[in-house]
Amino acid sequence: MRRSAAPSQFQGNSFKKPKFVPPGRSALSLNEETTKRNPDIKLFQGIANNAFLQSQNDPGICSSNLLPTEGSTREINHGDKYSSKYCLEASAVTLDPLLAVHSASKEVTESKEQEEKPDSLVKYFSVVWCKASKKKHKKWEGDAILVVKGMSFTLKDLEGKDIGRGIGYKFREFEKIEEGQTLMIGGKEIEIMGVISSDDFNSGRCFQLGRGSPATPSFSQAARKCFSKPFKSVCKLNSKENRQNDFQSCKPRHDPYTPNSLVMPRPDKNHQWMFNKNCFSLVDVVIDPHLVHHLRPHQKEGIIFLYECVMGMRLREYCLLNSQSYCLSLSSVGIAVISHRMNGRYGAILADEMGLGKTLQCISLIWTLQCQGPYGGKPVIKKTLIVTPGSLVNNWRKEFKKWLGNERIKIFTVDQDHKVEEFIKSTFYPVLIISYEMFLRSLDQIKNIKFDLLICDEGHRLKNSTIKTTTALISLSCEKRVILTGTPIQNDLQEFFALIDFVNPGILGSLSSYRKIYEEPIIMSREPSSSEEEKKLGERRAAELTCLTGLFILRRTQEVINKYLPPKIETVVFCRPGALQIELYQKLLNSQAVRFCLQGLLENSAHLLCIGALKKLCNHPCLLFSSVKDKECSSTGDENGERNLYQGLLNVFPADYNPLLFTENESGKLQVLSKLLAVIHELRPTEKVVLVSNYTQTLNILQEVCQRHGYAYVRLDGQTPISQRQHIVDGFNSKYSSDFVFLLSSKAGGIGLNLIGGSHLILYDIDWNPATDIQAMSRVWRDGQKYPVHIYRLLTTGTIEEKIYQRQISKQGLSGTVVDLTKASEHIQFSVEELKNLFTFHESSHCVTHDLLDCECTGEIDHADDSLEKSAISRHCQLGPHHQKSDSLKPLSMSQLKQWKHFSGDNLNLTDPFLKRIRDNVSFFFQNITNPSTA
Ligand SMILES: Nc1ncnc2c1ncn2[C@@H]1O[C@H](COP(=O)(O)OP(=O)(O)OP(=O)(O)O)[C@@H](O)[C@H]1O
Ligand SMILES: [Mg+2]
């Protein structure tokens, strides 16, 4: 029978070469087996430490720690050191990778098979298949996995789809299946190529093996190439031969031996074979000491991570390890085939929490690759494209200047006056910074520029692969792609796929195979009704997915910089509603619209109208008044719904009510805000306040309050021209500015901003999405902040605002998509039960949230419940419980809140001068201090 030359066939061939050793024939002693298995174990230990799991030594670092520990005098990271710490004995692999991996894998798998034999009711085989025919010269059509369970056989293609089934086989047939045997299954003829361990099936690794890379030549080509000149081009440092070829400088740009130097890992021999065809000398790549001086330890680690990813070093390592743990009897050709699978992938996702300095890490990477490279010192990149939200274009420019000065590197930022054409004409600029919007508009020109590195800031927006921005960015030919995001990315497995596939196209196969192999089993295993077997399979697939993707995703939590930050005092302030608010609130709840909603009589969107009105009322009654008046004047919109809601409301307002002349005491929160601003101004005259609302109309009211009290302010919202944004931010952050308040619409323009000029942040209203609030709060408590940070979250007692807060912190609020910045409340579905709860006003309660905590305290003295363990409930992560990371910026859970200090406004022992001033209008406080020791 003749095999076709299809790539997958080539792989099938590789299985056949070495002789199959049936399970149980291994001559290895226990010790030997353990030693042989160790590399495998190390692999998973090493990788499990990566992105999603928390290192025990450093709670903030979720990634494998590849660097020497902090405090070591010289941070040199050569490949050998890296490999030994990282996973398996890579030295053996690099000396003679094919041989070493081959022999080890065979024995490892044998021993595993032995181990699994007692409970091995299910068996897995790698097979090749073709349609059944009587032809003499058959051609195999593809690789597949045969699952033998009891008397039934299932044939799965490498996309995970079932392509054949057979039942009713005799036990004897099942017993004697072995390599080389042919069988008929569901109209297909198959030939057994080898045994797959249940481990490799459950993890999904056996499916990965068969995938080709769109970016690379076929496996067969690769393998042929590999064996024609194995490692001939691998260079030795300063060998005679190399010196002849070498026209580059062979000296590192910076001294790798000075104390505290940060040296990138050297490429291993596989890498050299692939990328150093011209036999240049190996040169150490050393980060500019000017930068190293400023870098935090996690940033040094992040730079090494980014370097390894974009140089294609991490995935190659993985594939060698993987082949070792996976293959029963891979031939050397097979190994080359597998290693080739990971080629052509140079992407990374740096998902550090907000404020950890992702910008500086990228700047360091760009500057390093721009000037240096491991082969003859030749720079790795010439041009870099940075795509970022409009409000951050100038922030990037500023950060380049801050860390590298004006002389080292020339940056081109695209704006109204500086078009892409100018960048194209000039050879002066190696870096182009552009907003996502401008990028789309200039796509035709940008496509003609050869960029070597692409950085997408706030890149979670690429999670939808069908939106224009994503497709446009995908169309660029640049292979080295980095996504920066502070938002967790693994909450939704499909969005996760889109981001992964953007940075490393094809690494998870096609979307359909990804769904079959990973998504479906993982989701299935999380169903309460799933069987033990399904649970196990889902967990293994999730672990494998984490393991693979963890190689190029890095996320560290805020804790890594806590020690550099001042204390953060966070207070939730429950403000008593004003008399007018109470009356209007009750009127709204008694409206026909709300009643119809609760009876399920209105369309689903009607409840949004009711919620919107209640939220406006909480901010200030004048906002509701304006809406009612507007509705009276206009004839558009959902007439009935609004009429039913607003009926009789105007009668509650004084006859001569003028919304422009609103008073502070009409709104509980505004009263508190006004007093808060006054006390900060009085007691901390040099400190500034960031005041956040997500509504333009509310910001207008807050602006009016500033004007009335004579506070100097600036404002940034969705309407602020992009060209002015950085200027406004810089002005506010400057110690010379007299601005006291920064009015910010966080949703519309706040993402990624540094507002460290402010040390007090007041969240005037609450969003359904905790991520919106978290991201607003992160604007001030970040690197560079000099003062203790005070965060105040204002909520109107007993109202819908408390309910939204509870939803944020309850499990329900944490489920999946809710922590997604782009999801608005319109997407939230409510049951009638939930609506009933939302539309209940708890007029007599001091704090409904506290009532719900089952706390016995009366709130008269400071109280914090220490009885509960620090709970680790975090947002729902689709990769399963084992992959939950500890995000320090995650929303609180109810039980965590209980541990916060809490007390009523009547508390007699109140010492905090700010709270003392506002207590009259406050029914309850929750307070928590992070980092008190840095005070
Ligand atoms: N090593 C450092 N020393 C001092 N300041 C630093 C350091 N690294 C970063 N910073 C400063 O910290 C602030 C936050 O950095 P940056 O904007 O890069 O954070 P980020 O990770 O991109 O956060 P976000 O997800 O919110 O965009 C910036 O003002 C930056 O200049
Ligand atoms: Mg940023």
Side-chain angles (χ1 to χ4, degrees):
M1 200 172 276
R2 190 164 52 86
R3 293 177 202 286
S4 77
S8 55
Q9 296 298 311
F10 197 89
Q11 171 219 326
N13 204 0
S14 69
F15 276 91
K16 198 149 167 47
K17 287 201 165 178
K19 188 74 194 110
F20 174 67
V21 182
R25 258 208 245 154
S26 167
L28 289 176
S29 72
L30 191 64
N31 274 349
E32 278 173 298
E33 283 178 27
T34 315
T35 330
K36 292 292 179 187
R37 269 202 303 268
N38 263 347
D40 192 23
I41 294 164
K42 277 188 195 167
L43 158 71
F44 290 102
Q45 280 171 348
I47 293 170
N49 269 344
N50 219 311
F52 297 107
L53 295 181
Q54 194 93 5
S55 142
Q56 276 189 337
N57 297 337
D58 187 344
I61 296 181
C62 307
S63 169
S64 57
N65 190 354
L66 307 181
L67 269 173
T69 48
E70 195 189 345
S72 69
T73 49
R74 188 168 161 272
E75 299 186 37
I76 249 180
N77 298 279
H78 293 305
D80 45 356
K81 193 178 210 170
Y82 147 77
S83 303
S84 65
K85 222 174 167 186
Y86 180 35
C87 288
L88 85 160
E89 283 75 9
S91 53
V93 179
T94 46
L95 283 176
D96 188 354
L98 310 181
L99 216 101
V101 173
H102 173 200
S103 54
S105 66
K106 182 177 162 192
E107 283 149 352
V108 167
T109 323
E110 279 171 20
S111 66
K112 270 191 189 152
E113 288 303 314
Q114 268 188 331
E115 213 172 65
E116 284 161 9
K117 207 178 174 195
D119 61 343
S120 56
L121 289 171
V122 189
K123 294 215 171 220
Y124 308 94
F125 301 90
S126 65
V127 301
V128 284
W129 67 272
C130 65
K131 281 194 209 84
S133 91
K134 289 190 177 138
K135 279 189 194 160
K136 218 173 172 193
H137 296 292
K138 284 177 198 156
K139 207 169 159 189
W140 293 117
E141 287 175 47
D143 295 89
I145 311 289
L146 176 66
V147 183
V148 182
K149 192 175 179 183
M151 301 291 120
S152 72
F153 289 32
T154 310
L155 200 59
K156 287 176 179 291
D157 69 8
L158 294 184
E159 302 247 298
K161 270 183 266 164
D162 290 359
I163 54 169
R165 267 173 203 278
I167 46 168
Y169 288 83
K170 294 200 186 85
F171 188 69
R172 257 183 293 122
E173 284 174 273
F174 164 70
E175 271 280 85
K176 64 180 192 203
I177 291 179
E178 59 179 2
E179 191 220 10
Q181 191 181 338
T182 53
L183 293 165
M184 293 292 287
I185 287 180
K188 293 190 174 65
E189 185 169 349
I190 63 165
E191 184 179 323
I192 306 290
M193 309 304 293
V195 177
I196 293 172
S197 70
S198 58
D199 192 46
D200 283 316
F201 178 84
N202 288 336
S203 66
R205 253 174 276 148
C206 58
F207 294 99
Q208 288 172 21
L209 183 66
R211 276 185 222 129
S213 153
T216 51
S218 74
F219 285 155
S220 47
Q221 278 171 350
R224 245 181 266 131
K225 212 165 173 186
C226 179
F227 286 91
S228 59
K229 283 206 308 188
F231 301 108
K232 202 175 163 194
S233 59
V234 171
C235 305
K236 289 197 181 81
L237 271 171
N238 296 326
S239 72
K240 198 177 159 199
E241 189 188 346
N242 292 340
R243 276 200 300 273
Q244 280 169 359
N245 277 337
D246 195 356
F247 56 81
Q248 299 286 328
S249 152
C250 289
K251 272 194 182 160
R253 188 178 164 101
H254 308 284
D255 183 357
Y257 295 100
T258 52
N260 296 321
S261 62
L262 180 58
V263 186
M264 295 298 101
R266 281 186 188 154
D268 65 16
K269 295 200 170 161
N270 293 300
H271 193 276
Q272 294 170 37
W273 182 83
M274 282 294 291
F275 299 100
N276 193 16
K277 307 264 186 235
N278 292 331
C279 267
F280 292 136
S281 296
L282 275 186
V283 177
D284 274 329
V285 173
V286 187
I287 306 293
D288 192 333
H290 176 81
L291 285 170
V292 176
H293 175 69
H294 298 285
L295 295 171
R296 308 281 188 214
H298 76 277
Q299 293 173 328
K300 294 178 181 174
E301 189 183 323
I303 294 165
I304 294 176
F305 159 82
L306 288 171
Y307 176 85
E308 287 177 336
C309 287
V310 301
M311 294 297 288
M313 286 156 80
R314 290 180 75 94
L315 287 174
R316 292 182 60 76
E317 190 85 13
Y318 170 81
C319 90
L320 285 170
L321 300 168
N322 212 4
S323 63
Q324 185 179 38
S325 70
Y326 163 55
C327 299
L328 168 69
S329 52
L330 268 188
S331 69
S332 50
V333 176
I335 297 288
V337 166
I338 300 177
S339 13
H340 200 70
R341 184 166 78 80
M342 296 293 182
N343 288 338
R345 270 82 184 225
Y346 308 96
I349 299 180
L350 183 57
D352 285 346
E353 276 187 357
M354 290 171 266
L356 262 62
K358 294 184 279 293
T359 322
L360 172 56
Q361 293 174 65
C362 285
I363 289 173
S364 306
L365 177 78
I366 296 167
W367 175 233
T368 306
L369 299 180
Q370 194 70 47
C371 309
Q372 305 178 51
Y375 302 126
K378 193 168 173 272
V380 176
I381 58 171
K382 284 196 182 116
K383 284 199 190 303
T384 300
L385 174 64
I386 299 170
V387 195
T388 181
S391 52
L392 297 179
V393 169
N394 279 315
N395 183 62
W396 270 92
R397 169 190 279 287
K398 254 193 72 199
E399 288 275 315
F400 266 102
K401 187 173 169 199
K402 177 170 173 181
W403 303 113
L404 290 172
N406 279 333
E407 290 72 36
R408 287 182 175 79
I409 195 162
K410 299 285 174 219
I411 305 300
F412 190 93
T413 45
V414 179
D415 56 33
Q416 293 305 326
D417 305 323
H418 303 89
K419 304 276 183 234
V420 176
E421 286 88 347
E422 206 180 312
F423 174 81
I424 296 174
K425 279 185 206 143
S426 167
T427 51
F428 204 50
Y429 302 100
V431 179
L432 177 70
I433 305 175
I434 191 167
S435 69
Y436 282 99
E437 298 74 29
M438 204 67 116
F439 164 76
L440 272 184
R441 269 184 257 155
S442 323
L443 183 60
D444 287 342
Q445 290 116 300
I446 289 180
K447 261 187 169 171
N448 296 326
I449 310 170
K450 184 175 175 334
F451 285 105
D452 309 297
L453 176 62
L454 168 64
I455 293 177
C456 300
D457 193 13
E458 303 296 344
H460 42 267
R461 62 171 67 201
L462 307 178
K463 67 190 178 199
N464 185 340
S465 54
T466 55
I467 60 167
K468 260 197 210 156
T469 317
T470 316
T471 47
L473 282 162
I474 287 174
S475 73
L476 300 182
S477 58
C478 181
E479 285 176 330
K480 298 185 195 306
R481 299 176 179 183
V482 177
I483 279 183
L484 304 181
T485 175
T487 305
I489 55 168
Q490 81 284 37
N491 291 329
D492 182 308
L493 283 175
Q494 288 209 25
E495 294 172 357
F496 186 61
F497 176 84
L499 294 177
I500 299 292
D501 203 54
F502 176 77
V503 290
N504 285 318
I507 197 149
L508 295 175
S510 65
L511 180 59
S512 65
S513 69
Y514 168 80
R515 282 188 179 151
K516 277 261 171 302
I517 295 162
Y518 295 112
E519 193 183 340
E520 283 172 16
I522 293 171
I523 290 179
M524 180 88 84
S525 70
R526 294 171 65 85
E527 293 292 324
S529 57
S530 63
S531 66
E532 257 326 289
E533 205 182 319
E534 285 167 337
K535 277 197 174 67
K536 260 193 180 157
L537 183 70
E539 279 170 23
R540 287 302 316 273
R541 293 280 163 89
E544 183 65 21
L545 188 58
T546 308
C547 179
L548 170 61
T549 57
L551 285 166
F552 52 89
I553 301 174
L554 183 63
R555 180 167 179 86
R556 277 80 56 88
T557 59
Q558 181 89 37
E559 277 112 68
V560 296
I561 54 162
N562 273 3
K563 61 176 176 230
Y564 308 105
L565 296 180
K568 178 174 73 166
I569 302 121
E570 218 176 321
T571 314
V572 188
V573 184
F574 295 82
C575 311
R576 290 198 178 93
L580 180 62
Q581 276 178 308
I582 295 176
E583 207 179 335
L584 285 164
Y585 207 93
Q586 278 160 342
K587 189 96 188 158
L588 276 173
L589 292 188
N590 288 326
S591 70
Q592 218 174 34
V594 170
R595 271 186 284 126
F596 281 175
C597 270
L598 294 180
Q599 290 161 17
L601 296 178
L602 292 181
E603 301 223 328
N604 204 22
S605 62
H607 67 267
L608 293 176
L609 204 66
C610 304
I611 291 170
L614 292 172
K615 286 185 81 184
K616 273 186 189 161
L617 175 58
C618 288
N619 279 3
H620 200 288
C622 72
L623 294 170
L624 185 65
F625 184 87
S626 303
S627 298
V628 181
K629 275 279 177 202
D630 284 353
K631 205 52 357 198
E632 267 187 356
C633 303
S634 92
S635 56
T636 56
D638 172 17
E639 290 282 315
N640 272 340
E642 288 192 305
R643 199 171 310 133
N644 289 342
L645 183 63
Y646 296 152
Q647 216 167 30
L649 274 188
L650 287 183
N651 301 335
V652 182
F653 286 91
D656 55 348
Y657 190 80
N658 180 350
L660 299 176
L661 302 176
F662 67 86
T663 65
E664 284 163 15
N665 57 18
E666 285 161 0
S667 156
K669 285 199 297 180
L670 199 63
Q671 259 178 312
V672 168
L673 173 78
S674 173
K675 289 184 178 176
L676 205 48
L677 290 176
V679 67
I680 296 168
H681 201 252
E682 183 186 319
L683 300 180
R684 303 275 201 279
T686 54
E687 297 183 23
K688 300 173 195 174
V689 181
V690 177
L691 186 46
V692 187
S693 168
N694 290 311
Y695 303 96
T696 317
Q697 287 170 323
T698 303
L699 276 180
N700 293 344
I701 293 179
L702 304 182
Q703 183 172 327
E704 172 68 19
V705 169
C706 289
Q707 280 168 358
R708 287 184 191 175
H709 290 274
Y711 302 135
Y713 64 88
V714 285
R715 174 169 172 162
L716 194 152
D717 59 26
Q719 307 297 311
T720 314
I722 286 177
S723 54
Q724 283 175 24
R725 292 185 180 192
Q726 191 60 38
H727 185 68
I728 295 172
V729 170
D730 291 347
F732 180 73
N733 286 338
S734 159
K735 61 178 176 209
Y736 303 109
S737 100
S738 56
D739 298 327
F740 174 54
V741 176
F742 192 107
L743 294 163
L744 173 70
S745 163
S746 161
K747 247 184 182 171
I751 294 172
L753 289 185
N754 291 309
L755 294 173
I756 49 172
S759 53
H760 299 256
L761 182 134
I762 305 171
L763 286 174
Y764 191 77
D765 40 51
I766 183 163
D767 198 79
W768 289 101
N769 184 349
T772 313
D773 293 343
I774 289 167
Q775 97 87 20
M777 292 192 270
S778 311
R779 298 306 107 210
V780 291
W781 198 53
R782 48 175 50 209
D783 222 326
Q785 178 58 258
K786 303 268 181 307
Y787 297 108
V789 164
H790 298 261
I791 307 242
Y792 300 97
R793 179 198 284 281
L794 307 189
L795 302 174
T796 312
T797 311
T799 66
I800 191 160
E801 291 189 327
E802 271 207 67
K803 306 292 169 67
I804 299 173
Y805 183 59
Q806 286 152 20
R807 194 178 161 110
Q808 269 200 11
I809 62 179
S810 72
K811 259 196 147 173
Q812 186 186 21
L814 299 177
S815 67
T817 52
V818 179
V819 287
D820 180 336
L821 275 175
T822 58
K823 294 261 161 69
S825 55
E826 294 87 76
H827 299 284
I828 304 177
Q829 298 291 319
F830 299 97
S831 66
V832 171
E833 233 16 73
E834 283 171 310
L835 285 177
K836 264 188 194 149
N837 180 36
L838 277 182
F839 296 147
T840 305
F841 180 37
H842 305 259
E843 200 186 335
S844 54
S845 172
H846 283 296
C847 178
V848 184
T849 312
H850 181 249
D851 298 345
L852 286 175
L853 289 181
D854 258 347
C855 176
E856 280 163 13
C857 83
T858 55
E860 277 155 28
I861 49 162
D862 291 4
H863 181 89
D865 190 338
D866 296 327
S867 60
L868 282 164
E869 270 181 44
K870 286 256 180 232
S871 152
I873 299 168
S874 77
R875 57 174 69 91
H876 174 94
C877 160
Q878 284 206 346
L879 281 178
H882 301 300
H883 310 289
Q884 306 245 353
K885 358 168 256 334
S886 149
D887 282 13
S888 63
L889 293 174
K890 72 183 176 235
L892 279 171
S893 69
M894 280 298 221
S895 53
Q896 283 170 315
L897 186 68
K898 202 170 171 184
Q899 294 159 59
W900 283 31
K901 206 160 84 173
H902 50 267
F903 39 90
S904 83
D906 307 326
N907 184 343
L908 302 173
N909 302 329
L910 216 56
T911 51
D912 184 316
F914 302 103
L915 304 192
K916 250 178 158 171
R917 188 72 69 91
I918 58 175
R919 65 189 298 167
D920 286 350
N921 304 92
V922 175
S923 60
F924 215 81
F925 295 100
F926 275 91
Q927 191 176 63
N928 186 49
I929 306 182
T930 315
N931 257 6
S933 55
T934 59

